Amino acid sequence: MRSKMWPKRAAWWLSLLLLLVLYPQSGMAAGVTITNGPVWYDTTGGTIQAHGGGIIKSGSTYYWIGEDKIHNSATFRDVVCYSSTDLKNWKWVSYPLKTTSAAELASSKVERPKVIYNASTGKYVMWMHYENAADYSLGRVAVASSDSVCGNYTYHGSFRPLNYESRDMTVFKDDDGSAYLITASNSGGGANDSLASFKLTSDYLNVASFQGWVFQNGHREAPAIAKQGGKYFMITSGASGWYPNQAMYATASSMAGPWSALQPLGNTSAFFSQSTFILPVQGSSATTYLYMGDRWNSGQLGDSRYIWLPLTLNGAAGTAALEWSSSWTLDAATGVTTANGMTNHALNKTATASSTATGYAASRVNDGNYQTEWKASAVTWPSWWQVDLGAAKNIREVDISWFMYKGSEGYYQYKIEYSTDGTTWTAIDKTSNKTYGFTSDSVNFTARYVRINMVNAVLWNNPNNWYTPTLYEVKLLGN
Ligand code: DGJ
């Protein structure tokens, strides 16, 4: 008995010793795990309501301020403020702005609140998109300010900056204390045709000057800005209501522009999210840029989820990259992130399909490039795409980047089929899927062949499925 126990005990002590050597302060892996997809709860168990929000750090505490959609409506209920020191455990603090804060807030819409701190006035200044309750025809910003980050905020009213229309917006405070408003405006081609750039007054309570159009007639929304290596990065989405679409980024050497051409970021749907903010997490050994996106649920807005991913910004090269991770670790103290360490077993393995349109080879689905796609040769449902992994692999997650078509978004009803011999198949039924643009399924099977069986696509604004089966990327993750 004793001799049998000994090797086990020795192994246990050895692992403990190893942990202590690796993580001397805590004896445990440092940081928190960010899990994308599920509902996020605050420290008292309420669902976090901070949609379209942003984060501001004050002292060593982060404050997450966003829209409350608990009533499952686009109308204004309140702005909510949460606090956290680790960016994972969020404590509800207050409602900085309420329907009773001003007469015009009683029946209205308030979206994308963003707070910046003005060092000379000592005020926290909140900018937001303001509309009436019924529609999006006003096209205004609103401004409020407070002596403390979580309020109460004094409401200063809504307006069109220098008479320009203003809808999806953000504010950005630069290192030199200058601040800017970037907003979806109208340069003559209709609502949201172009972004407009403004410099704010030194108290941040108004706009001082119009700096020009950005991506004129590009129909960009949801701007979010960060600065890395002396370069400004702007992430935007396309305009497709609550539906996700391909995020794009651009760079500039000055907030006055010019901005570079738009470059795609992440997959066809920003991993089913829409940008709202980029948070620099400045730790003791690294700065991580946190992409914050909203996964809107238009039918139940209060159940819209948050997608947070590490964003790779390279100011010197002028490049940005965003990769999906269903869970990853963030240490707010050091700024260090740790990936989940899984391998994409499908990458560059032999792929085939039920049919292939010329120029859209099956291999484009597992080439690691979110911008290349396979397409069936005709509008044939079902169609399938298949990969031979070369040997049996244990697969734990299946990530699929689906076709998105602006304004006619469709979700795919599909089956994940797997086989060890290419003859006998087992199916995981995902025909009840209603997720647009990107699906990430937790699985646990061991197989050499994996097939994505596209049974049907359902279009939200068109009952007839005219889609040609198309896949952008399939990742089969495992250890
Ligand atoms: C897209 C915007 O980005 C959201 O903030 C919201 O205004 C929706 N449109 C409403 O359809």
Side-chain angles (χ1 to χ4, degrees):
M1 184 74 179
R2 202 181 168 149
S3 57
K4 268 193 189 159
M5 285 300 287
W6 167 237
K8 262 195 192 164
R9 277 221 186 115
W12 189 87
W13 280 110
L14 245 159
S15 351
L16 187 69
L17 197 73
L18 201 69
L19 272 174
L20 285 170
V21 169
L22 287 174
Y23 307 104
Q25 285 92 359
S26 58
M28 289 168 63
V32 294
T33 302
I34 305 291
T35 309
N36 289 309
V39 177
W40 289 4
Y41 297 96
D42 66 17
T43 50
T44 56
T47 59
I48 294 180
Q49 294 295 322
H51 310 285
I55 291 179
I56 179 169
K57 194 178 185 191
S58 179
S60 53
T61 306
Y62 292 95
Y63 295 90
W64 185 6
I65 296 169
E67 306 163 30
D68 186 353
K69 294 271 187 263
I70 195 105
H71 54 315
N72 290 322
S73 161
T75 57
F76 178 54
R77 183 182 161 108
D78 42 63
V79 170
V80 193
C81 185
Y82 298 87
S83 72
S84 173
T85 50
D86 62 8
L87 292 165
K88 163 93 173 184
N89 296 291
W90 291 97
K91 182 173 170 264
W92 183 92
V93 180
S94 66
Y95 296 125
L97 204 68
K98 299 184 251 207
T99 48
T100 50
S101 302
E104 71 169 20
L105 290 175
S107 174
S108 65
K109 279 201 277 297
V110 167
E111 295 183 348
R112 302 183 175 271
K114 300 287 177 293
V115 172
I116 47 177
Y117 178 67
N118 190 299
S120 44
T121 62
K123 299 273 187 195
Y124 291 88
V125 183
M126 183 189 296
W127 283 71
M128 58 214 118
H129 172 195
Y130 175 86
E131 297 287 351
N132 65 42
D135 54 35
Y136 283 88
S137 60
L138 289 180
R140 293 185 193 165
V141 272
V143 181
S145 67
S146 166
D147 292 330
S148 63
V149 60
C150 288
N152 291 331
Y153 277 71
T154 303
Y155 189 72
H156 301 296
S158 64
F159 58 98
R160 283 186 171 181
L162 299 173
N163 289 326
Y164 289 90
E165 286 181 22
S166 175
R167 293 187 175 81
D168 272 17
M169 43 62 65
T170 195
V171 283
F172 175 74
K173 182 179 161 183
D174 208 345
D175 310 325
D176 65 357
S178 309
Y180 302 87
L181 166 72
I182 300 285
T183 186
S185 189
N186 182 347
S187 73
N192 299 327
D193 74 350
S194 309
L195 291 173
S197 167
F198 299 89
K199 188 165 186 189
L200 300 190
T201 52
S202 58
D203 60 7
Y204 303 166
L205 294 176
N206 210 330
V207 291
S209 57
F210 174 69
Q211 299 201 115
W213 299 110
V214 185
F215 320 131
Q216 195 163 9
N217 299 313
H219 295 270
R220 306 306 297 169
E221 283 192 329
I225 294 170
K227 188 180 188 181
Q228 201 282 334
K231 274 262 166 52
Y232 299 89
F233 286 82
M234 192 192 307
I235 296 179
T236 55
S237 75
S240 51
W242 301 110
Y243 295 93
N245 52 57
Q246 173 75 61
M248 302 281 228
Y249 75 93
T251 59
S253 299
S254 156
M255 274 304 287
W259 290 89
S260 70
L262 291 162
Q263 302 290 334
L265 181 74
N267 83 340
T268 45
S269 63
F271 308 109
F272 189 174
S273 76
Q274 185 184 32
S275 45
T276 181
F277 197 69
I278 305 166
L279 175 70
V281 182
Q282 268 164 336
S284 53
S285 52
T287 298
T288 283
Y289 292 84
L290 182 62
Y291 165 89
M292 293 169 58
D294 294 295
R295 184 171 278 185
W296 298 113
N297 179 349
S298 58
Q300 215 179 329
L301 279 171
D303 190 36
S304 301
R305 310 284 168 90
Y306 310 102
I307 299 301
W308 286 11
L309 295 166
L311 175 68
T312 310
L313 300 180
N314 185 334
T319 56
L322 187 69
E323 182 51 284
W324 171 255
S325 193
S326 49
S327 73
W328 55 284
T329 305
L330 170 64
D331 185 339
T334 61
V336 172
T337 63
T338 317
N340 62 16
M342 288 200 283
T343 303
N344 175 15
H345 291 301
L347 186 64
N348 294 325
K349 299 283 168 52
T350 306
T352 47
S354 48
S355 75
T356 298
T358 311
Y360 295 93
S363 58
R364 289 157 67 100
V365 173
N366 55 333
D367 60 357
N369 182 350
Y370 286 121
Q371 303 305 315
T372 55
E373 75 277 38
W374 157 84
K375 211 185 265 189
S377 60
V379 184
T380 307
W381 300 89
S383 283
W384 55 260
W385 173 92
Q386 182 182 317
V387 63
D388 174 359
L389 304 178
K393 300 282 179 196
N394 180 236
I395 305 300
R396 307 307 294 260
E397 184 175 313
V398 177
D399 294 339
I400 308 179
S401 296
W402 303 99
F403 175 59
M404 295 291 287
Y405 184 84
K406 187 173 166 278
S408 294
E409 281 71 17
Y411 53 78
Y412 277 60
Q413 298 172 322
Y414 61 103
K415 290 179 183 170
I416 301 165
E417 297 170 347
Y418 57 91
S419 167
T420 45
D421 57 9
T423 307
T424 311
W425 296 82
T426 306
I428 302 173
D429 195 326
K430 295 286 169 187
T431 52
S432 58
N433 173 58
K434 289 208 162 69
T435 306
Y436 293 89
F438 179 70
T439 50
S440 180
D441 294 306
S442 278
V443 296
N444 188 359
F445 61 78
T446 300
R448 173 171 168 174
Y449 303 91
V450 180
R451 181 185 276 184
I452 307 303
N453 182 351
M454 289 152 271
V455 177
N456 193 21
V458 178
L459 277 60
W460 77 274
N461 69 352
N462 186 339
N464 303 312
N465 178 8
W466 49 263
Y467 269 31
T468 303
T470 305
L471 276 179
Y472 272 77
E473 195 66 20
V474 172
K475 296 197 176 184
L476 303 175
L477 304 184
N479 296 317

